[in-house]
Amino acid sequence: MPVSLERATEEHTGPRAHQVHERDGGRIKLKRFCELEDAQVPYAEIAKGYDTPDGRTAVVTEEDLKELPLPSKKVVDVLAFVDADSIDPLRLGTPYYVTPAAKTPNKPYVLLRDAMRESGRIAVTKVTLSTRESLAVLRVVGDLIVLQTALWPDEIRSPEGLAPPSDVTVHRQELAMARSLMTSMSRGFDLEALHDDYAAAMRALVDARLKGETPPRAQVRQPAGPVQDLMAALSASVEDAQRGRGDAEPGKPARKVTAKRARHAS
């Protein structure tokens, strides 16, 4: 089934920066030198070098990489269909919209999409993007099939030794209070209303520098100390969350609660 892949996401980092001399703003240029010839090398003559344990270097060109004998090159190779919840989200990476290629029948695409949707299954695949083979999954999002890259099994690090000790006891009342806090914090939450504070702050910083003004500075936050009374901290967080969501009692001023405080409290 001929298809096309289109990036489904576009990351933003705020204004793009380049290196300059702090004293006068002069642009810093990096030049590529060959250590054997002590001469600058044009980009077209640069290849990749892979070192071996015995000190030798294998020189690999872009043409070599393009001609790697990979079965998944220019093909989304479906290996199996599995239950959607059997793939840990920890594995998932960059998403791509999968669309029918130009001048090809749409029925095979629609058949695959509808079959996956009705079965609740996703496809495990292999695909080569650029010059690297990647594990990926196909899943249905709305009326489209989405391909999302995934990490290979040996790329997931073991979590052994990272979890809290198993002898920590959480009481029923504490769980009930924690669930109440989760409910209070989530009421009226709108994911689509969130924005990137870093990008906005970077734009404000750049604008201030261009105008010769003093850039805005962050307010110093004091880190929360260790929780001495967990129930009291949870109760206070619930009250703050309710006020922050506009649930404060009449006559009492509403107060904003941050996610940072809630995390410390819980």
Side-chain angles (χ1 to χ4, degrees):
M1 179 173 59
V3 296
S4 300
L5 298 182
E6 301 287 343
R7 282 288 296 263
T9 58
E10 184 179 15
E11 296 182 4
H12 51 81
T13 58
R16 293 188 177 275
H18 53 261
Q19 291 183 328
V20 297
H21 190 184
E22 182 180 359
R23 185 169 58 194
D24 55 21
R27 186 76 176 259
I28 301 297
K29 295 184 178 181
L30 303 179
K31 297 182 178 181
R32 301 174 177 87
F33 274 84
C34 172
E35 64 177 9
L36 296 181
E37 300 178 6
D38 193 26
Q40 190 171 348
V41 178
Y43 186 79
E45 296 181 11
I46 294 178
K48 296 182 184 296
Y50 293 84
D51 296 335
T52 63
D54 60 5
R56 294 180 298 168
T57 299
V59 177
V60 177
T61 67
E62 288 298 321
E63 189 65 24
D64 293 331
L65 295 175
K66 291 179 181 178
E67 296 301 325
L68 279 176
L70 297 176
S72 59
K73 187 173 294 184
K74 297 185 179 180
V75 173
V76 179
D77 188 12
V78 176
L79 306 177
F81 293 90
V82 300
D83 291 337
D85 58 2
S86 66
I87 301 295
D88 190 335
L90 186 66
R91 291 184 181 274
L92 300 181
T94 305
Y96 296 83
Y97 292 131
V98 181
T99 61
K103 299 181 180 180
T104 59
N106 289 322
K107 190 169 183 177
Y109 182 98
V110 174
L111 175 60
L112 175 60
R113 181 197 66 191
D114 292 352
M116 287 199 297
R117 176 186 287 150
E118 291 185 8
S119 67
R121 294 193 168 195
I122 60 177
V124 179
T125 74
K126 281 184 177 182
V127 63
T128 298
L129 301 173
S130 297
T131 58
R132 189 177 188 277
E133 186 178 59
S134 176
L135 194 64
V137 299
L138 293 176
R139 59 192 184 91
V140 178
V141 178
D143 291 330
L144 278 177
I145 296 174
V146 169
L147 180 142
Q148 196 156 5
T149 58
L151 296 173
W152 297 97
D154 60 356
E155 291 181 314
I156 304 294
R157 298 177 61 185
S158 170
E160 184 176 357
L162 300 179
S166 58
D167 59 353
V168 176
T169 301
V170 175
H171 299 291
R172 188 179 300 276
Q173 296 92 332
E174 294 168 338
L175 279 173
M177 187 65 73
R179 287 195 298 269
S180 178
L181 173 59
M182 292 166 63
T183 300
S184 297
M185 291 181 63
S186 304
R187 188 176 295 116
F189 175 74
D190 181 9
L191 180 62
E192 299 302 320
L194 298 182
H195 63 276
D196 187 347
D197 290 326
Y198 174 82
M202 281 299 301
R203 284 191 291 268
L205 171 59
V206 170
D207 187 56
R209 288 299 189 192
L210 291 175
K211 294 178 180 178
E213 300 175 350
T214 301
R217 298 299 182 186
Q219 295 181 351
V220 178
R221 281 181 164 182
Q222 296 299 325
V227 176
Q228 302 298 331
D229 188 334
L230 183 57
M231 285 298 291
L234 284 169
S235 179
S237 292
V238 170
E239 292 178 4
D240 283 349
Q242 289 173 343
R243 293 191 185 98
R245 299 293 181 187
D247 299 334
E249 296 179 15
K252 291 188 177 182
R255 188 156 53 93
K256 184 177 181 181
V257 61
T258 65
K260 183 174 181 180
R261 173 168 181 177
R263 282 198 297 271
H264 282 296
S266 57

